[in-house]
Amino acid sequence: MGNVTSLSNDEIKEIHEETGFSASQIRRLYSRFCHLDKDGKGHLERKDLRLIPELSVNPLGNRIIEAFFVDQNDSRRPVEQVDFLQFTRTLATFRRTEAKHSSELNTVDKKIEFVFRVYDIDRDGYISKDDLIHILRCLVGVSIAEEQVKGIAHRTLREADKDEDKLISLDEFKEALGNVDVKEKMSLRFLTA
């Protein structure tokens, strides 16, 4: 699935089986991927995703982009390029969960893991107070004083850090999100049919 002009039926079938996207959704995603891949390299780089208007205006846009660029075998290791299969795998995280087209990629756990990667700035497998401060600063800019931001980060850490190691693990993060309807909040209706 490198630098080609279209996908074969076998490639579409393989992607469908892994992601749950329909053939028409896969074709539209491929069209979007090719549009973003202006140089026809067969992969995307961070600069390509920064061209997506919704990400360019999102205060966490750069963090969301970074969450796309992870090694499939070790989410703490960054990669420099994303091919079409990785692109669809990541987007599958945001698919609505449907019984007939469910996928291991769009479970509640996978959705939470994606958000965790957005918050884990230094990719050490934990969310620290510094990570929280960075995310809060992205969200509120300069509209809140630094001391208030630090106070919010401190309270958040105190509430979510069950083992009191001053870090939020993935398990603690999942527990902290226990009352949030992650399935609904992290699902997009961006592709129908």
Side-chain angles (χ1 to χ4, degrees):
M1 268 172 262
N3 191 3
V4 294
T5 56
S6 65
L7 297 170
S8 71
N9 287 337
D10 288 341
E11 288 172 321
I12 291 171
K13 182 180 178 192
E14 176 187 327
I15 293 168
H16 165 73
E17 288 172 0
E18 186 171 355
T19 66
F21 285 126
S22 70
S24 65
Q25 290 170 327
I26 293 166
R27 285 186 192 96
R28 281 185 287 208
L29 283 173
Y30 188 70
S31 175
R32 181 67 171 157
F33 179 88
C34 291
H35 177 76
L36 291 169
D37 179 18
K38 300 225 182 280
D39 300 329
K41 305 173 298 278
H43 64 266
L44 299 177
E45 298 169 7
R46 287 166 180 82
K47 67 179 176 65
D48 299 317
L49 291 183
R50 287 188 184 106
L51 298 175
I52 299 172
E54 295 81 1
L55 289 176
S56 67
V57 298
N58 186 317
L60 294 178
N62 282 331
R63 293 302 313 146
I64 293 167
I65 290 169
E66 284 302 315
F68 271 80
F69 290 86
V70 296
D71 185 299
Q72 288 302 287
N73 299 315
D74 181 358
S75 64
R76 291 186 277 179
R77 284 188 39 217
V79 296
E80 297 305 313
Q81 305 169 348
V82 173
D83 64 14
F84 180 65
L85 184 56
Q86 176 57 31
F87 182 72
T88 57
R89 284 176 179 149
T90 302
L91 290 176
T93 304
F94 300 102
R95 274 188 58 250
R96 287 199 160 307
T97 306
E98 304 159 2
K100 65 180 182 173
H101 296 295
S102 64
S103 161
E104 289 182 25
L105 298 173
N106 71 334
T107 64
V108 169
D109 279 350
K110 290 296 183 186
K111 292 175 188 300
I112 292 172
E113 288 169 17
F114 184 90
V115 175
F116 187 85
R117 285 196 313 267
V118 169
Y119 278 66
D120 182 12
I121 305 297
D122 57 9
R123 297 180 191 237
D124 65 353
Y126 296 94
I127 299 172
S128 67
K129 186 175 179 181
D130 288 341
D131 293 337
L132 287 170
I133 289 170
H134 181 90
I135 292 295
L136 288 167
R137 185 57 55 215
C138 287
L139 291 171
V140 300
V142 294
S143 64
I144 295 180
E146 189 65 24
E147 287 309 311
Q148 288 177 298
V149 169
K150 288 179 181 178
I152 294 168
H154 178 74
R155 280 190 304 279
T156 303
L157 191 60
R158 190 179 63 227
E159 290 174 17
D161 179 21
K162 299 303 180 191
D163 61 8
E164 299 180 3
D165 63 354
K166 299 188 187 323
L167 298 168
I168 301 171
S169 68
L170 178 58
D171 288 336
E172 290 169 329
F173 190 71
K174 286 178 183 178
E175 187 177 329
L177 292 179
N179 293 332
V180 176
D181 186 1
V182 174
K183 198 184 281 189
E184 181 62 28
K185 301 264 187 240
M186 285 198 59
S187 294
L188 300 175
R189 290 185 185 121
F190 62 98
L191 296 169
T192 56

